[in-house]
Amino acid sequence: MSARPATLTVLTPIDDMNFVSSTLPENDHPVYDPLQPYLANERVIVTEGFHKVYAALRNSTGAFPPESPLDWVEVGPTNRWAAFDMDGGTFSTGLNSFEFAVTGSRLDTFGFLELKALRIRLRASSMAYPDYFDKTIVLRDTAVVNSWWSYTNEPIQRQRQHVEFEVPCIPNSTYTVTIEGEGPISIGSFLMGKKKEIGFAQYGVTVGRRTLGEILEDRLTGRRKRIRRGFRRQINLQIFLEPDVTDAVQNQLDELQEVPVLFVGTPGVYECTTVFGDITRSSTTLVGPNENQLTLEI
């Protein structure tokens, strides 16, 4: 199905230790002040070590939001840090272009998910090897064009995801990402780590999505109200495993239980087989002396 094996990328979280800079300001709301009295429904941000937005549940003074669940509720990450949130479902947004830089060591895989942009530029540099990688990815148009009418009238549908596998594994590097477009642009998740090749996906892959929103219906009037909360991508597939790597793959999967991973089922073929999430089920069938089959749900 693919000329390249499916990969699981063990992710490196981005926090205050490896974050370098961003052109996106962290000013979604006022920074929390322990001396300031707050009223219910007011919002603040906590930056150092958290980078989260909190909403007040009731009037309070001196209640530190991350440690006061009766006074505050977490809304989500700040705009600057939304793309680094390992829970997903949030977006870092900007206008025309924005840039951020992080550090890492010997990383080879970089994922850009839920993009709304025209192009991405990824640069890598280290003290030993200055500017050793610089690549611009133009996000292709994926709209179906099968007639002159569709060519002239169908809206452009840009590629929403890209995973870069070609970055050399150089220690102690700084990675700089530039997102560019025209007007409002955004990225849902920026992920980086080291990939593990696990085998080749077989035909019969099932991809889908699970809606997180709700439809509330008034019992008296019958009127409906939609609450939109986005969606989660899902994938179910079978992977061919050679017998001599089966035990190693099983050990790797044991280490990745309840740990978010970036999974690319068919690199370079189907974008829809790229999923960021948790492995919810895995099983291995010993088919024969020369072939085993791994089933994954992510």
Side-chain angles (χ1 to χ4, degrees):
M1 188 174 184
S2 173
R4 299 177 63 176
T7 66
L8 281 172
T9 299
V10 181
L11 302 174
T12 299
I14 298 172
D15 54 26
D16 285 334
M17 297 297 293
N18 56 6
F19 174 82
V20 177
S21 64
S22 174
T23 59
L24 290 175
E26 195 168 23
N27 59 359
D28 310 45
H29 301 281
V31 177
Y32 171 75
D33 182 351
L35 302 180
Q36 172 74 29
Y38 292 99
L39 302 178
N41 298 320
E42 282 195 82
R43 294 195 174 193
V44 298
I45 61 173
V46 179
T47 54
E48 294 294 329
F50 294 94
H51 306 286
K52 300 284 188 179
V53 178
Y54 293 87
L57 298 174
R58 60 186 183 183
N59 299 354
S60 68
T61 302
F64 187 50
E67 299 174 356
S68 306
L70 297 180
D71 298 292
W72 298 89
V73 63
E74 181 185 313
V75 177
T78 60
N79 184 53
R80 171 184 281 186
W81 285 78
F84 310 143
D85 185 42
M86 296 296 281
D87 292 330
T90 56
F91 296 85
S92 288
T93 62
L95 191 64
N96 298 324
S97 72
F98 59 85
E99 182 176 287
F100 56 83
V102 296
T103 59
S105 190
R106 300 184 185 277
L107 305 181
D108 59 10
T109 302
F110 295 81
F112 307 84
L113 308 185
E114 301 301 331
L115 286 159
K116 290 184 179 179
L118 295 179
R119 57 192 163 268
I120 315 161
R121 184 183 182 190
L122 174 61
R123 290 169 286 165
S125 182
S126 72
M127 292 291 290
Y129 302 95
D131 304 320
Y132 66 83
F133 185 86
D134 190 339
K135 183 176 181 179
T136 298
I137 302 100
V138 177
L139 302 175
R140 68 182 187 276
D141 181 7
T142 61
V144 177
V145 178
N146 52 17
S147 66
W148 279 108
W149 187 94
S150 59
Y151 178 78
T152 56
N153 292 280
E154 286 290 336
I156 294 176
Q157 297 177 0
R158 293 285 176 186
Q159 176 185 352
R160 298 292 304 276
Q161 305 186 101
H162 177 77
V163 181
E164 184 59 50
F165 292 108
E166 300 178 0
V167 181
C169 296
I170 304 297
N172 304 319
S173 296
T174 298
Y175 306 100
T176 303
V177 174
T178 305
I179 311 291
E180 298 179 325
E182 296 177 355
I185 57 175
S186 63
I187 177 173
S189 296
F190 169 72
L191 309 166
M192 62 182 191
K194 300 188 70 171
K195 67 176 179 292
K196 296 178 181 292
E197 296 181 346
I198 58 175
F200 291 88
Q202 301 179 358
Y203 283 104
V205 175
T206 301
V207 295
R209 64 183 65 196
R210 180 171 61 89
T211 300
L212 302 177
E214 295 181 76
I215 299 179
L216 303 180
E217 183 173 309
D218 190 302
R219 293 184 178 181
L220 295 178
T221 65
R223 296 182 61 183
R224 290 185 171 187
K225 179 180 180 181
R226 298 181 183 273
I227 301 178
R228 302 183 185 276
R229 298 195 183 103
F231 62 90
R232 294 283 191 188
R233 296 183 184 273
Q234 298 175 319
I235 186 169
N236 186 318
L237 77 168
Q238 291 73 45
I239 296 173
F240 167 78
L241 290 181
E242 295 182 354
D244 58 350
V245 303
T246 299
D247 287 338
V249 170
Q250 287 297 314
N251 291 335
Q252 292 173 0
L253 293 175
D254 289 343
E255 297 173 359
L256 295 175
Q257 291 301 312
E258 300 182 355
V259 174
V261 296
L262 173 62
F263 178 79
V264 183
T266 55
V269 182
Y270 292 107
E271 178 186 325
C272 60
T273 64
T274 299
V275 178
F276 167 45
D278 297 276
I279 301 172
T280 56
R281 188 176 73 88
S282 65
S283 62
T284 301
T285 303
L286 306 181
V287 178
N290 299 315
E291 177 183 352
N292 295 325
Q293 181 176 284
L294 171 66
T295 300
L296 284 179
E297 289 184 4
I298 301 177

